[in-house]
Amino acid sequence: FSAMRLPLVVQANEAPHQLLTSAASDNQWSHSLFALIPSWTKKILFKRESSVNHQLPEDLSNVSMSSGFGITLQKCGVVDVEHDPQTAYITLLINNTNMLLSTNITDLILLDNITGLHVRRNSGNTTTNGIQIYRKRFLQGGEYFAINYSALLDTEEMWDGRVLMLPAKLTFRSSSQNKTHLLSLTASFTITEEEKTKISYSHLVHASGFFIAFFVSLVLTCAGFFIVYRTQILKWSFWSKNQEIKHEVSQNHKLERSQFNSGDLFSEDIITNDQIIDILSFEESGNMHQALEDLEVASLTQADADLETYRTQICKEVIAMMMKNMVLSHSLFPHVEKRMNSIFKKQFLAMEKEIQGEYERKIVALTAECNLETGKKMEAQCQKARAANEEAEELMKKMHEKPAVEYRSLLDRLHRLEQDRLKRFLLVKQEEYFAKAYRQLAVTQRKEVHNIFFTQITNATFKGELKLEAAKTLVEDYSRIQGDIEGLMDFLQASKKYHLNRRFAYREYLISKIQLRDSQASALINAAATQISSLINKMERAGHLPESHLGALLDRAEAEINSVKQKFDHDLKQEKQKLRQKLITKRRREMLQKKEHRKEQLSLGDPFKTTKEVTRYLSHWKNLLSDHTVEFEELTEKLDSEASEELKELLFSITEKTVEELERVQYGVFVQELVKLGVPKIFLLEAVEEHKKETVVKHEQLEKEERDKSMAAEELLQLTRQKLSQELETSLLEQKKLRSWEQSVFMQLLSLPLSLSEAELLRMRQELHCCFSQVDTSLAWPKIRTRTLLQAFEVERRDAEMLKVDQNLAVIDRQQHSKIKKTGSRNRNKIDILKKSLQDKIFIYEDSVKDENLNKVS
């Protein structure tokens, strides 16, 4: 039999069901934590996934369904059966070119199942369980990304009618307005062999078939070589073209990019920074502070990743400089220095790969753990909701329609609140898990850098390549310079914390101003709308309008007002969408310009060649990064302020048009209608003039209120900035004292009259450096820990309050049952009691932790 050339099938799963906050699905890979650095604090969606398999007999048709964000994952290919072993040519395509739905996506990770295949010339990491892992930092809307590779089919497998399932899964992050979601797509991929057997009883036919088959196989072989050749050319051409496109957009798009110690030293999460525009533009006033807090955690996590990159880069470069200085001081031969530097580079590279591998293992373990916990809690919540719904259905059969509808509406509202709060609680718990994992990896990497240095020095001394005195000098210099590096990192961390806190304090100020403007616009529109019904009622009370016309006119007025308000909402949303794109384009352009400028400044620095210049090198880093942070924050604040002002102008412009439209309805429609109904013009004119005066007074009142609240907000902002400056000085002073204490302990230990060998002293130094490198804390951890404790406190408080409500309900129900004998009356009273109970529970869920209770969160 022979295996026919099979089309390899494509499938992409449906868009995740979008909910407010995070919970993981029960699928191990649906919530990959590959974005641990720096994006694991962002919002994750609880999703449902569906799979659809299609098998196509002859062609290479693709059947795929994209996500709700316009992203499509495809896996397709063809099997060349003309050669032995058989070869599969496979393409993985991530398509983000949907013009209507496409958006920028970040932190892509693609898991490609290759079980039963032997891959040739691939760029992914093949793990022990037969999975290729591809990573990509960023894919802009309107672009696509493709991966091509070939693989030999496993000759040890029996291929008679067997099916090989090789799915691919893509996990990525996408920002929708102010929310950042972790999403997943699945593409199925099936290799199936169809057995074909033909038996011939004629020797003549058999011989003819042999010669025909020989001729055809010769032609197909030539064609196969030609196809393979053309495929390779097209593959490399497509790859090159795709890489050029990505290079123009960003420098951070290489596959297999290490999450640690790689990338642009001046990387800023510009995509995350865009989210402030969505928060200011589209977020509801009540959710703005929560959305801003989520963005703050994401920015703090990004800053932690950047600082870890700086630390490792500085340590590696300082070690290389120290080795060069040894050559300049004639303490080390050039060829030995070259060999040792080569070893250092290889070991640092191996360290990064090992850290990355450990990182991926933690990803899988934490994902499975979080999925299991989330699945159990969500299932328990769903069972509780189903039981409540069944009870409600039985109860509603015994009551009238209106009370039943009201009761069911309250019950649905309570269930939504319960689910939302549960997902929020699970989100912050996952944040804490991932923050701990990241900190462990960061500390491991710091210790490993020290281990590599001391191990290499020990080996070089043992081999005689480095003299003992020279090794002592080198180690002492390393210890001194490590103290300087720790001091530098303390300064950079404190400075970054100060600037980020300052940034978000200013954004809180902008949000308060936007909320004030929204309430002012609503007040103006409502005042203008109220005047219409007020005019009609005045005329009726004055006796100028027959009561028979009152209801019809008020209904018409309500319809006109609703139409104008709907147009206001529609126009405001449309104009904000246009303004959003304009603001984001401007923001990215100016930030990228600033980023390129800083990279140019970095490239202009001459390499440092002497020992004395190591201090200058660290000072160079300090000035460079400090200046960059200051300039970037100034630019961010300027762009935030400009965005706020443009949104203000847009809101007031559309509000003014809406008020004018309502006045036109009042003066041009209802005044004329009232005149037709016989209302004297003089009374109408008096009412109109009175309304105009009320409008002027309302404007003045709102303007005064805005000025007063704006002044109060500005004063609060100034006080907050002063407090942050004081905290910066205090933090630097305390950390400096701590480092001085470290140095004192270090020198005392070295001066103790211990009977230690040189190797033991070296190990002691190494352990001390490993310990001292951990005397700091990440920027994101305190915020994440506070969120976790706050959520735990809220859950405990809600559970206690809900228990009280249930107990009160049981007591009242028993009392009512004993007092009321009639079934109908008892049902009416029971539904009233249940409605009151639901309202109390809804209030408990909507009532957040008050300021006076925050001191309990510790």
Side-chain angles (χ1 to χ4, degrees):
F1 63 92
S2 63
M4 66 180 293
R5 186 174 299 215
L6 293 176
L8 300 180
V9 188
V10 178
Q11 172 222 330
N13 72 315
E14 66 181 0
H17 180 58
Q18 298 183 27
L19 296 173
L20 179 62
T21 51
S22 168
S25 76
D26 57 355
N27 187 324
Q28 177 181 359
W29 294 104
S30 65
H31 281 244
S32 171
L33 309 184
F34 69 94
L36 177 64
I37 303 174
S39 308
W40 42 259
T41 56
K42 299 178 185 174
K43 290 187 179 179
I44 308 170
L45 290 180
F46 181 74
K47 69 177 189 59
R48 278 173 274 162
E49 199 170 85
S50 69
S51 298
V52 182
N53 287 331
H54 306 271
Q55 200 161 0
L56 309 176
E58 294 288 343
D59 54 32
L60 287 173
S61 301
N62 293 342
V63 181
S64 66
M65 293 177 289
S66 66
S67 76
F69 291 88
I71 314 301
T72 302
L73 172 65
Q74 296 176 316
K75 180 174 180 179
C76 55
V78 65
V79 178
D80 181 4
V81 298
E82 305 300 332
H83 302 87
D84 191 19
Q86 298 175 358
T87 304
Y89 296 94
I90 299 172
T91 296
L92 296 164
L93 179 64
I94 305 170
N95 192 346
N96 192 19
T97 59
N98 188 315
M99 299 304 293
L100 295 177
L101 299 176
S102 65
T103 182
N104 296 327
I105 58 176
T106 58
D107 299 325
L108 292 80
I109 186 166
L110 182 59
L111 305 176
D112 181 27
N113 192 326
I114 55 170
T115 305
L117 302 180
H118 298 288
V119 178
R120 304 184 301 180
R121 296 189 300 277
N122 71 305
S123 55
N125 287 338
T126 303
T127 61
T128 54
N129 59 351
I131 299 291
Q132 286 188 123
I133 303 176
Y134 296 91
R135 292 179 204 83
K136 189 167 186 59
R137 184 68 181 273
F138 171 61
L139 184 63
Q140 183 166 313
E143 295 183 356
Y144 59 86
F145 184 79
I147 300 166
N148 299 293
Y149 64 89
S150 60
L152 301 177
L153 302 183
D154 195 342
T155 55
E156 297 180 0
E157 295 288 336
M158 298 299 293
W159 283 77
D160 49 347
R162 292 180 179 256
V163 177
L164 196 59
M165 305 297 294
L166 303 174
K169 287 201 172 186
L170 171 68
T171 319
F172 62 92
R173 292 188 180 274
S174 179
S175 298
S176 174
Q177 295 185 4
N178 66 298
K179 299 177 179 63
T180 300
H181 308 301
L182 182 58
L183 307 175
S184 176
L185 289 177
T186 303
S188 67
F189 187 81
T190 307
I191 297 179
T192 306
E193 192 210 357
E194 294 183 1
E195 181 177 350
K196 290 185 178 181
T197 306
K198 183 177 180 180
I199 302 176
S200 175
Y201 298 96
S202 171
H203 292 287
L204 179 60
V205 173
H206 184 80
S208 302
F210 172 80
F211 288 109
I212 293 173
F214 176 81
F215 178 75
V216 171
S217 63
L218 179 62
V219 173
L220 288 178
T221 301
C222 296
F225 278 116
F226 178 75
I227 291 171
V228 171
Y229 174 74
R230 294 300 299 170
T231 301
Q232 293 296 324
I233 293 177
L234 289 174
K235 179 173 70 173
W236 288 109
S237 174
F238 181 78
W239 174 264
S240 300
K241 179 181 179 181
N242 193 46
Q243 290 299 100
E244 289 173 5
I245 294 174
K246 303 302 177 295
H247 181 75
E248 292 175 1
V249 178
S250 173
Q251 299 294 327
N252 299 324
H253 291 182
K254 293 182 180 179
L255 287 174
E256 301 309 334
R257 178 179 180 269
S258 173
Q259 298 289 335
F260 294 82
N261 293 342
S262 64
D264 184 2
L265 292 177
F266 296 114
S267 65
E268 286 286 350
D269 198 347
I270 295 175
I271 305 305
T272 302
N273 216 314
D274 291 344
Q275 292 179 27
I276 187 61
I277 303 298
D278 295 324
I279 294 173
L280 299 179
S281 302
F282 300 107
E283 189 56 74
E284 296 179 4
S285 296
N287 297 333
M288 278 186 170
H289 292 287
Q290 181 66 68
L292 185 63
E293 184 182 281
D294 292 337
L295 179 58
E296 180 181 7
V297 171
S299 298
L300 289 170
T301 308
Q302 173 68 44
D304 280 329
D306 291 340
L307 288 170
E308 208 59 41
T309 299
Y310 303 156
R311 172 188 288 272
T312 307
Q313 184 67 24
I314 290 171
C315 288
K316 289 161 62 176
E317 292 181 2
V318 162
I319 290 174
M321 290 170 60
M322 290 175 61
M323 300 305 296
K324 285 186 178 180
N325 293 332
M326 294 293 290
V327 175
L328 294 175
S329 63
H330 305 291
S331 300
L332 192 66
F333 291 110
H335 71 278
V336 176
E337 179 263 343
K338 184 176 180 181
R339 191 186 68 81
M340 290 180 68
N341 272 337
S342 176
I343 293 175
F344 276 129
K345 289 180 181 178
K346 291 179 181 178
Q347 290 182 338
F348 285 137
L349 181 60
M351 173 197 71
E352 292 173 2
K353 289 184 177 179
E354 178 61 28
I355 292 291
Q356 186 66 37
E358 180 64 21
Y359 163 70
E360 291 171 358
R361 288 188 288 272
K362 283 182 180 290
I363 286 175
V364 175
L366 284 174
T367 302
E369 182 180 347
C370 291
N371 286 348
L372 181 61
E373 179 183 9
T374 300
K376 289 180 179 179
K377 290 185 179 294
M378 292 304 297
E379 179 59 29
Q381 182 65 39
C382 290
Q383 289 179 358
K384 179 182 175 182
R386 283 195 296 268
N389 287 333
E390 290 172 0
E391 183 180 352
E393 290 292 340
E394 291 297 323
L395 186 61
M396 286 188 294
K397 292 177 182 178
K398 305 174 183 178
M399 65 180 70
H400 297 294
E401 181 178 356
K402 185 176 179 180
V405 170
E406 292 175 352
Y407 176 73
R408 186 53 188 263
S409 176
L410 288 172
L411 187 62
D412 291 342
R413 183 179 174 188
L414 177 62
H415 288 165
R416 286 195 299 270
L417 286 170
E418 288 175 339
Q419 192 177 57
D420 291 343
R421 296 303 186 271
L422 176 59
K423 291 200 297 288
R424 183 70 189 173
F425 175 67
L426 294 172
L427 168 66
V428 296
K429 282 192 68 177
Q430 290 179 24
E431 283 180 351
E432 185 177 21
Y433 293 155
F434 307 155
K436 287 180 180 178
Y438 167 59
R439 177 64 178 180
Q440 291 172 359
L441 291 173
V443 169
T444 299
Q445 181 164 283
R446 295 179 191 181
K447 294 168 66 175
E448 192 61 27
V449 170
H450 295 309
N451 292 342
I452 289 172
F453 174 79
F454 282 99
T455 300
Q456 183 59 22
I457 296 304
T458 301
N459 292 340
T461 305
F462 179 76
K463 294 177 181 177
E465 297 175 341
L466 189 63
K467 296 180 180 178
L468 184 60
E469 291 301 321
K472 288 182 179 180
T473 302
L474 187 61
V475 169
E476 289 174 359
D477 289 343
Y478 181 81
S479 298
R480 176 180 55 80
I481 292 172
Q482 281 301 312
D484 295 338
I485 291 175
E486 295 297 339
L488 171 61
M489 295 311 302
D490 290 340
F491 171 81
L492 293 178
Q493 187 180 64
S495 176
K496 191 69 176 178
K497 179 181 178 181
Y498 164 75
H499 285 290
L500 285 176
N501 288 338
R502 181 185 171 95
R503 178 200 296 182
F504 284 96
Y506 184 69
R507 288 177 172 177
E508 289 276 4
Y509 163 73
L510 292 180
I511 284 177
S512 67
K513 290 181 67 175
I514 286 177
Q515 290 174 335
L516 180 60
R517 294 168 194 162
D518 288 342
S519 63
Q520 184 178 2
S522 298
L524 288 172
I525 293 173
N526 290 333
T530 303
Q531 287 181 352
I532 299 175
S533 57
S534 175
L535 177 66
I536 298 171
N537 286 320
K538 279 181 182 180
M539 296 304 103
E540 191 272 336
R541 286 194 299 269
H544 302 300
L545 179 67
E547 188 176 352
S548 58
H549 295 290
L550 179 63
L553 282 176
L554 289 176
D555 290 343
R556 182 179 174 187
E558 184 180 1
E560 292 282 355
I561 291 169
N562 288 337
S563 175
V564 173
K565 287 185 175 181
Q566 288 175 2
K567 186 176 185 303
F568 167 79
D569 293 336
H570 177 268
D571 292 347
L572 184 61
K573 183 178 180 180
Q574 292 294 319
E575 293 302 319
K576 279 186 175 181
Q577 288 284 4
K578 296 176 184 177
L579 181 59
R580 173 189 179 274
Q581 192 59 44
K582 172 187 170 185
L583 292 173
I584 287 180
T585 301
K586 175 184 177 182
R587 191 180 197 89
R588 290 185 182 176
R589 182 178 65 249
E590 295 195 23
M591 286 187 171
L592 288 173
Q593 287 174 354
K594 180 65 67 177
K595 183 177 175 181
E596 291 300 321
H597 176 66
R598 300 307 299 175
K599 287 171 65 178
E600 289 175 4
Q601 288 184 329
L602 177 64
S603 63
L604 294 176
D606 293 327
F608 301 91
K609 298 180 180 179
T610 66
T611 307
K612 295 179 180 179
E613 290 178 340
V614 172
T615 305
R616 282 184 55 202
Y617 168 81
L618 297 178
S619 177
H620 170 77
W621 265 98
K622 180 178 180 179
N623 295 333
L624 193 66
L625 294 175
S626 298
D627 293 345
H628 165 70
T629 301
V630 171
E631 291 176 8
F632 190 86
E633 292 303 323
E634 288 176 351
L635 175 61
T636 300
E637 184 172 316
K638 179 180 80 75
L639 292 170
D640 290 349
S641 178
E642 291 174 354
S644 176
E645 287 301 314
E646 292 204 42
L647 287 167
K648 172 186 175 181
E649 293 176 5
L650 174 63
L651 176 62
F652 283 175
S653 173
I654 298 180
T655 301
E656 184 179 357
K657 292 178 181 178
T658 303
V659 171
E660 289 175 355
E661 180 63 19
L662 289 170
E663 290 175 348
R664 185 197 65 79
V665 171
Q666 180 183 180
Y667 306 147
V669 177
F670 286 94
V671 168
Q672 298 300 324
E673 188 68 24
L674 290 170
V675 170
K676 292 178 182 179
L677 293 173
V679 178
K681 281 189 177 182
I682 186 169
F683 292 103
L684 288 172
L685 292 175
E686 287 177 0
V688 167
E689 287 300 321
E690 185 179 348
H691 285 175
K692 288 182 178 179
K693 291 178 182 179
E694 290 176 356
T695 301
V696 172
V697 171
K698 188 68 174 178
H699 271 283
E700 292 175 352
Q701 177 187 348
L702 290 174
E703 287 176 0
K704 183 178 183 302
E705 181 182 352
E706 183 185 12
R707 285 195 303 270
D708 294 342
K709 290 187 176 180
S710 294
M711 289 179 61
E714 288 176 5
E715 291 176 1
L716 179 61
L717 177 63
Q718 293 303 321
L719 290 174
T720 303
R721 287 179 169 178
Q722 291 175 8
K723 182 182 177 182
L724 291 175
S725 298
Q726 293 172 358
E727 289 178 354
L728 173 62
E729 295 176 1
T730 303
S731 174
L732 289 173
L733 184 61
E734 291 178 351
Q735 196 69 10
K736 190 174 181 180
K737 289 180 180 179
L738 184 59
R739 295 300 181 187
S740 298
W741 173 82
E742 284 180 7
Q743 189 65 23
S744 174
V745 170
F746 185 72
M747 298 307 298
Q748 289 177 16
L749 286 174
L750 292 179
S751 62
L752 289 176
L754 302 175
S755 300
L756 300 176
S757 64
E758 292 296 332
E760 291 171 334
L761 283 172
L762 204 62
R763 282 197 298 273
M764 186 176 72
R765 278 183 180 271
Q766 177 180 335
E767 289 301 322
L768 287 172
H769 283 302
C770 290
C771 291
F772 293 157
S773 66
Q774 303 175 43
V775 186
D776 67 343
T777 184
S778 66
L779 296 175
W781 172 252
K783 186 74 174 180
I784 291 171
R785 182 60 179 162
T786 300
R787 281 155 63 98
T788 304
L789 293 173
L790 183 60
Q791 285 293 320
F793 178 82
E794 283 195 326
V795 169
E796 184 179 348
R797 179 190 65 86
R798 279 199 301 267
D799 290 345
E801 294 293 331
M802 298 283 278
L803 181 60
K804 290 180 182 178
V805 173
D806 290 335
Q807 290 173 347
N808 291 336
L809 176 63
V811 172
I812 296 173
D813 189 49
R814 285 196 299 269
Q815 292 174 350
Q816 294 293 333
H817 190 272
S818 61
K819 290 180 180 180
I820 302 175
K821 302 300 183 181
K822 292 184 178 181
T823 305
S825 299
R826 192 162 57 240
N827 286 336
R828 284 193 300 272
N829 279 274
K830 184 173 183 180
I831 192 63
D832 292 337
I833 295 170
L834 288 174
K835 285 169 60 178
K836 180 63 170 61
S837 173
L838 290 177
Q839 290 170 350
D840 292 341
K841 290 182 178 181
I842 289 171
F843 176 77
I844 291 170
Y845 271 98
E846 292 179 340
D847 184 34
S848 59
V849 175
K850 299 294 187 298
D851 292 338
E852 59 266 21
N853 293 327
L854 288 178
N855 59 346
K856 299 179 183 178
V857 183
S858 59

